[in-house]
Amino acid sequence: MEVVVVDSPGVLLADAIESLVRKSPSCVVGLATGSSPLPAYEELISRHRSGTGPSYADVTWFLLDEYVGLPPGHPQSYRATIARELTDALGVSDVHAPDVHSDLATAGERYEESIAEAGWVDLQILGIGSDGHLAFNEPGSSLSSSTRLKTLTARTRADNARFFASVDEVPRHVLTQGLGTIMRARHLVLLATGSSKASAVAAAVEGSVSASCPASVLQLHAHATVLLDEAAASSLERIDYYREVWANKPDWQGL
Ligand code: GLP
């Protein structure tokens, strides 16, 4: 795992996505919602608008998760959110999300099949919940789980209440890629900013691998990158070492 602490982690993520798309124009990118990736999305949109970004015409996009119970097109559905925050501005439409509007019992399996048909994800963007969740895999989730229905914890519903009129409107259920699904992506890039994420980041990066901290599964991935600002990195014990590695990284290596 590589841990990188910089002022603007979103710019590094935007660079990594662009470099993948230039190298493999028909790649598969895994998208995350939430506030953490927004600076990266803004950077990609601004480069696209100024004509310096790559062509996204052949890229396939998969969302990590989706709320269950919101009507189609609800502004807080993750499908609507990612369209508003990224994909509409890039002018792309090959965007997949778990199908929460028909037969929930088979929706997970169908989503897994669609990712498999696309050849699995090349680069998966990830945020982290304040309780260590990854996508919507709450503490206790199997480290080898696949896409399925999950029940949100009270803490996650409270964290996400800011997007709704009240916490009562935050759906209780979601369809989420499993930790096993996420682990099949070839490169995982987790982005976290702000002091509210510091303890979850420390548990994920330096704690034991455990279902109690779903994001700790990244320790088992051969190519995982954790991009942090100073505040999110503030509880890491090995922070001096991570800085030394980054400062002395050979240019040819990339992320
Ligand atoms: C939600 C999403 C996660 C995201 C997390 C953190 O629960 N399902 O994918 O990582 O929130 O969100 P934020 O980046 O807004 O802190």
Side-chain angles (χ1 to χ4, degrees):
M1 179 188 297
E2 179 171 37
V3 180
V4 181
V5 185
V6 288
D7 290 338
S8 305
V11 174
L12 279 188
L13 175 56
D15 289 344
I17 294 167
E18 279 200 359
S19 125
L20 170 69
V21 173
R22 285 187 206 285
K23 203 171 66 182
S24 312
S26 54
C27 62
V28 179
V29 176
L31 294 167
T33 47
S35 315
S36 306
L38 288 182
Y41 295 163
E42 283 159 14
E43 184 71 24
L44 289 175
I45 291 168
S46 129
R47 294 179 193 181
H48 179 69
R49 287 191 173 139
S50 68
T52 57
S55 164
Y56 295 103
D58 297 324
V59 177
T60 307
W61 313 81
F62 282 91
L63 267 174
L64 278 173
D65 45 12
E66 181 59 283
Y67 287 118
V68 170
L70 299 178
H74 188 286
Q76 291 310 325
S77 70
Y78 280 175
R79 187 178 265 290
T81 300
I82 203 67
R84 192 170 58 240
E85 289 173 349
L86 179 69
T87 53
D88 280 359
L90 295 185
V92 299
S93 54
D94 196 4
V95 184
H96 303 254
D99 175 11
V100 290
H101 300 295
S102 65
D103 193 12
L104 287 175
T106 61
E109 205 175 312
R110 286 184 277 123
Y111 200 52
E112 292 280 322
E113 279 165 13
S114 61
I115 303 173
E117 268 169 35
W120 299 100
V121 171
D122 290 299
L123 186 155
Q124 178 62 59
I125 302 163
L126 295 165
I128 184 171
S130 61
D131 61 0
H133 75 231
L134 216 52
F136 270 137
N137 293 278
E138 297 285 28
S141 293
S142 158
L143 299 181
S144 59
S145 46
S146 48
T147 306
R148 70 227 183 279
L149 188 82
K150 287 291 285 181
T151 305
L152 297 181
T153 60
R155 182 167 177 182
T156 298
R157 293 181 70 223
D159 281 351
N160 290 1
R162 65 191 192 279
F163 299 113
F164 294 85
S166 79
V167 71
D168 297 331
E169 290 187 18
V170 182
R172 204 169 283 283
H173 290 115
V174 294
L175 270 172
T176 181
Q177 285 191 31
L179 296 171
T181 321
I182 292 167
M183 288 291 282
R184 295 194 74 146
R186 296 176 189 90
H187 184 194
L188 302 182
V189 184
L190 185 145
L191 202 131
T193 51
S195 56
S196 65
K197 298 295 172 69
S199 63
V201 165
V205 172
E206 296 180 340
S208 313
V209 175
S210 163
S212 294
C213 178
S216 66
V217 76
L218 262 68
Q219 295 178 39
L220 299 175
H221 197 281
H223 190 186
T225 307
V226 178
L227 303 178
L228 305 171
D229 69 0
E230 293 289 341
S234 58
S235 297
L236 291 171
E237 283 181 11
R238 289 190 291 269
I239 188 156
D240 292 342
Y241 176 63
Y242 307 137
R243 289 191 207 284
E244 188 186 334
V245 171
W246 181 245
N248 294 287
K249 189 175 168 102
D251 285 342
W252 53 262
Q253 258 186 342
L255 278 185

